[in-house]
Amino acid sequence: MRSLLKVVSVLVAVAGFSGGVSPLWAQTPYTKLRPLPSFSVTSQNLKNGEAFSLAQISAGLGGKDQSPQLSWSGFPANTKSFTVTVYDMDAPTGSGFWHWAVFNIPATIHSLPAGAGSPDGKLLPPGAIQLPNDARLSQYIGPAPPQGTGTHHYFITVTALDTPSLPLPKTATPAYLGFMVWQHAIARGYLVGTASP
């Protein structure tokens, strides 16, 4: 029986690496959500799939907790507002880790400068609301992957919504924001930054 289980485990592992079974790291936070049209998200501070620069890393690791510059284009013409989030799907929590969450960004805004996620939020557009992240700080906090957890993938996501605002309190969690976004999302774009212990 043990040898049979071992064979099955090996076959599953092989299938995972050959495309038969998707390994967790090959998925995105949006794999189980309804498909949405995509649009372009770029950054002057980060190339998609590459490591964050030191300025974007956690201050606890010598960085500056500076949110990256972001630009987006190609979203639907009927977009009424945007949200921006940064999510680490590889955090050893069972639920990932939200590093940044901003909503009610006007549809006329198509970029954010580096450092827009500062605690005072002075570089955010009028009307935009910055929620407490999973450290319960209303700001961007940079990657700080724990030792022994390998490379982490951080999804920097801009979502286009069909409503100009969401009825959320300033103390809401990013997960609650995600639930509200799911109800109003019409398109989504993201880029991925990485960090290793």
Side-chain angles (χ1 to χ4, degrees), residues 53-129:
S53 64
L54 185 59
Q56 278 76 56
I57 296 294
S58 168
L61 295 180
K64 296 182 178 179
D65 284 319
Q66 182 186 79
S67 59
Q69 185 278 337
L70 297 173
S71 298
W72 52 93
S73 61
F75 46 84
N78 60 331
T79 298
K80 300 292 181 60
S81 69
F82 297 100
T83 63
V84 173
T85 58
V86 178
Y87 176 73
D88 173 10
M89 67 177 294
D90 298 309
T93 64
S95 60
F97 192 95
W98 295 93
H99 286 254
W100 196 28
V102 184
F103 70 105
N104 290 359
I105 298 172
T108 54
I109 301 298
H110 307 149
S111 66
L112 293 177
S118 63
D120 59 25
K122 288 182 178 179
L123 297 179
L124 289 173
I129 297 175

Side-chain angles (χ1 to χ4, degrees), residues 71 180 182:
S71 298
M180 297 298 289
W182 169 75

Side-chain angles (χ1 to χ4, degrees), residues 5-154:
L5 289 175
K6 187 174 181 180
V7 170
V8 170
S9 297
V10 170
L11 289 174
V12 168
V14 170
F17 284 101
S18 66
V21 177
S22 296
L24 179 62
W25 50 261
Q27 298 179 12
T28 77
Y30 313 109
T31 300
K32 294 184 179 180
L33 300 183
R34 73 178 187 277
L36 290 175
S38 63
F39 56 91
S40 173
V41 178
T42 60
S43 174
Q44 296 171 1
N45 308 121
L46 176 71
K47 290 185 178 179
N48 190 36
E50 296 190 2
F52 284 97
S53 64
L54 185 59
Q56 278 76 56
I57 296 294
S58 168
L61 295 180
K64 296 182 178 179
D65 284 319
Q66 182 186 79
S67 59
Q69 185 278 337
L70 297 173
S71 298
W72 52 93
S73 61
F75 46 84
N78 60 331
T79 298
K80 300 292 181 60
S81 69
F82 297 100
T83 63
V84 173
T85 58
V86 178
Y87 176 73
D88 173 10
M89 67 177 294
D90 298 309
T93 64
S95 60
F97 192 95
W98 295 93
H99 286 254
W100 196 28
V102 184
F103 70 105
N104 290 359
I105 298 172
T108 54
I109 301 298
H110 307 149
S111 66
L112 293 177
S118 63
D120 59 25
K122 288 182 178 179
L123 297 179
L124 289 173
I129 297 175
Q130 190 165 234
L131 293 177
N133 52 43
D134 274 351
R136 305 313 292 157
L137 300 172
S138 297
Q139 66 175 85
Y140 166 88
I141 55 170
Q147 291 294 326
T149 59
T151 299
H152 288 221
H153 300 80
Y154 302 80

